[in-house]
């Protein structure tokens, strides 16, 4: 039922029916919280709140589409705290950073845009380094190809706009390791 409400929320959001989308996102969040409680999961333990965190990120996406950036950022920053603490390699963490970058770009907040871009770049490098030794050459190539989908290119473009040199980017990669 959580997935159904989540999917309905996405469908309504994509059609521009944001009030309905928000309603279904809130229902998905409520059911996610109930699921965590009913399964005996400790709501004070952030690792038991993966479902709600994912649903909250979806609600933030709806707020972003409505240009309600202050509410979206509150939710997204809480989601990041969850993911950074419990599941930093989650694809949702990447999604949250990308959404924060989108908001910063729309608000004209270049400093926040670069900050989130740098965090995302560091996490990507860290994840790659952590996994690279166990990967074949083909798997390493696939990793960057799958990550990219324009994301890496956009990040590198942002860094070049910020006049970051290759030495600075190498330093970021070194520090991420």
């Amino acid at each position: 039922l959580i997935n159904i409400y989540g999917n309905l929320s996405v469908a309504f959001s994509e059609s521009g029916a944001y009030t309905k989308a928000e309603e279904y996102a809130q229902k998905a969040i409520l059911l996610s919280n109930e699921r965590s409680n009913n399964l005996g999961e400790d709501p004070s333990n952030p690792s038991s709140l993966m479902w709600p965190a994912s649903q909250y990120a979806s609600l933030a996406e709806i707020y972003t589409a409505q240009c309600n950036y202050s509410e979206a950022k509150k939710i997204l920053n809480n989601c990041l705290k969850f993911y950074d603490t419990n599941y930093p390699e989650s694809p949702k963490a990447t999604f949250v950073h990308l959404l924060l970058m989108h908001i910063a770009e729309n608000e004209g907040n270049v400093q926040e845009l670069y900050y989130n871009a740098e965090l995302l770049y560091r996490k990507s490098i860290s994840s790659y380094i952590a996994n690279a030794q166990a990967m074949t050459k083909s798997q390493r190539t696939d990793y960057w190809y799958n990550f990219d989908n324009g994301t890496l290119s956009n990040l590198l473009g942002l860094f070049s706009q910020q006049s970051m040199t290759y030495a600075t980017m190498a330093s970021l990669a070194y520090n991420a390791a």
Side-chain angles (χ1 to χ4, degrees):
L1 200 52
I2 295 168
N3 286 334
I4 292 171
Y5 283 146
N7 290 338
L8 284 169
S9 174
V10 169
F12 280 114
S13 180
E14 288 177 353
S15 70
Y18 299 118
T19 304
K20 262 313 206 195
E22 186 177 345
E23 176 186 329
Y24 282 107
Q26 293 286 5
K27 287 180 181 184
I29 290 168
L30 180 66
L31 287 176
S32 296
N33 287 326
E34 287 177 7
R35 175 191 171 273
S36 294
N37 294 335
N38 289 339
L39 291 176
E41 296 173 344
D42 179 7
S44 65
N45 177 0
S47 65
S48 71
L49 302 176
M50 179 57 118
W51 276 83
S54 178
Q55 299 303 325
Y56 276 113
S58 296
L59 178 61
E61 188 173 19
I62 294 166
Y63 288 150
T64 300
Q66 294 174 302
C67 299
N68 185 351
Y69 299 136
S70 62
E71 285 301 311
K73 286 195 295 190
K74 285 180 202 173
I75 292 170
L76 292 169
N77 285 320
N78 285 334
C79 288
L80 271 184
K81 287 177 191 170
F82 167 80
Y83 289 121
D84 288 345
T85 303
N86 301 287
Y87 191 34
E89 68 279 1
S90 170
K92 274 288 192 180
T94 300
F95 166 78
V96 169
H97 279 292
L98 291 171
L99 200 50
L100 283 167
M101 289 169 60
H102 173 74
I103 291 170
E105 185 175 24
N106 286 344
E107 291 180 327
N109 188 339
V110 176
Q111 185 176 4
E112 195 173 315
L113 176 64
Y114 290 140
Y115 172 77
N116 279 291
E118 183 178 329
L119 283 177
L120 186 55
Y121 181 73
R122 283 179 192 266
K123 285 181 180 187
S124 301
I125 292 292
S126 294
S127 177
Y128 174 74
I129 290 170
N131 296 305
Q133 292 179 347
M135 292 181 191
T136 65
K137 183 177 181 180
S138 175
Q139 288 171 322
R140 289 192 300 270
T141 302
D142 288 347
Y143 175 90
W144 284 113
Y145 178 79
N146 290 331
F147 170 75
D148 192 13
N149 289 333
T151 303
L152 184 61
S153 303
N154 291 339
L155 291 177
L156 295 177
L158 281 171
F159 290 143
S160 69
Q161 290 173 16
Q162 197 181 16
S163 303
M164 293 183 85
T165 64
Y166 286 112
T168 307
M169 289 171 62
S171 173
L172 280 175
Y174 177 78
N175 291 332

